[in-house]
Amino acid sequence: MKALAWHGKRDVRVDTVPDPKIEEPTDAIIRVTTTGLCGSDLHLYELLGPFLDEGDILGHEPMGIVEEVGSGVTTLQQGDRVVIPFQISCGACYMCSQDLQTQCETTQVRDHGMGAALFGFSKLYGQVAGGQAEYLRVPQAQYTHIKVPEEGASLSDDRFVYLSDVLPTAWQSVEYAGIPEGGSLTVLGLGPIGDMASRIAKHRGHRVIAVDLVPERLQRARNNGVEVLDMREHKKLGDTIREMTDGRGTDSVIDAVGMEAHGSPFGKIAHQMTGLLPDAIAAKMMETAG
Ligand SMILES: [Zn+2]
Ligand SMILES: [Zn+2]
């Protein structure tokens, strides 16, 4: 099959590699029909080289059709259309029973002190082959899937694929923001997460003020009823937002600016430092910092 493989910093290639096979009774193989690119992929592209091997397959936002299931997978069958979540979880451990699937105890990567294994996301998260590929082996497939319901059969993949990562990430950011009933929210950054968080907060009845500097992103948010501020025109954003909110500011703020975004101070320092250090030391630093 063809798959997107990592070869080095800023060097990824579409390679021909062996098709994945069922390795455990809890595996399934899916034929990928749509797969997302993510801001998180930039961590691998730019920074996490010390934790990647040449040939590692990237990608963690896939959906597709089940081709084959292991003997232990009774919840899926060939032909099912599924979205595959970023994190691999068993559905049966203590953490999964608490709805903390990102900490699944069956797949946790304890060697690196991390949570559940993730698709296509370096040794820090289990070095599991990712979904920017024609086929994907899904471990813990009895639970690691979201079945597209019957009534969605006529709808295209892009109605569902965001369930893998972007939509739940944005939804959870609004949960964590703890906006009071009828309260207000500032969203910094209108990339995919910021845009979806804005729409979710609007959907839940909140006033949303969002900040970006890309005209198309500002326009898209404006079309969705979000009040937008172009940061190129407002040098003192805090003052502007206070003026818009009776001098108090919004109740909550979501920072949705990516670590690798242009101008992000953390990203810049991390790039400079990991670029200069030997792999072993850079690995330790990224493990601690990122
Ligand atoms: Zn993602
Ligand atoms: Zn679990």
Side-chain angles (χ1 to χ4, degrees), residues 37-41 60-61 86 165-166:
L37 261 178
C38 184
S40 305
D41 288 320
H60 59 263
E61 303 186 3
F86 190 173
D165 179 2
V166 186

Side-chain angles (χ1 to χ4, degrees), residues 106-259:
T106 304
T107 74
Q108 262 178 19
V109 186
R110 292 184 177 80
D111 290 351
H112 290 288
M114 294 302 186
L118 304 174
F119 287 100
F121 220 72
S122 86
K123 292 170 197 169
L124 289 177
Y125 292 96
Q127 203 169 26
V128 182
Q132 282 161 11
E134 290 181 291
Y135 293 91
L136 175 70
R137 181 178 76 91
V138 181
Q140 302 296 328
Q142 77 285 353
Y143 186 69
T144 302
H145 68 263
I146 301 161
K147 237 185 255 189
V148 174
E150 286 291 315
E151 56 268 33
S154 63
L155 299 174
S156 63
D157 280 4
D158 62 5
R159 301 301 300 157
F160 304 102
V161 71
Y162 300 111
L163 283 169
S164 178
D165 179 2
V166 186
L167 183 55
T169 298
W171 184 276
Q172 199 65 17
S173 74
V174 175
E175 281 291 316
Y176 288 155
I179 314 160
E181 188 79 29
S184 57
L185 171 72
T186 297
V187 175
L188 303 173
L190 283 168
I193 301 295
D195 188 73
M196 284 195 198
S198 300
R199 293 174 71 172
I200 290 162
K202 285 292 293 179
H203 172 74
R204 291 166 62 158
H206 301 297
R207 179 185 180 193
V208 182
I209 299 171
V211 181
D212 205 292
L213 45 63
V214 178
E216 306 85 80
R217 290 178 169 187
L218 292 164
Q219 188 56 47
R220 182 172 59 187
R222 201 180 284 121
N223 293 346
N224 288 319
V226 172
E227 296 166 63
V228 297
L229 293 173
D230 185 334
M231 61 186 280
R232 294 168 304 179
E233 294 165 10
H234 299 277
K235 293 297 170 209
K236 294 193 169 170
L237 272 173
D239 290 346
T240 306
I241 292 170
R242 274 187 289 275
E243 276 164 29
M244 295 166 73
T245 52
D246 299 329
R248 283 191 297 273
T250 53
D251 296 300
S252 304
V253 179
I254 292 173
D255 177 357
V257 178
M259 192 168 82

Side-chain angles (χ1 to χ4, degrees), residues 88-97 100-101 103-107 140 143:
I88 301 165
S89 55
C90 74
C93 71
Y94 173 79
M95 288 296 185
C96 284
S97 76
L100 295 169
Q101 290 89 349
Q103 302 302 321
C104 173
E105 291 174 339
T106 304
T107 74
Q140 302 296 328
Y143 186 69

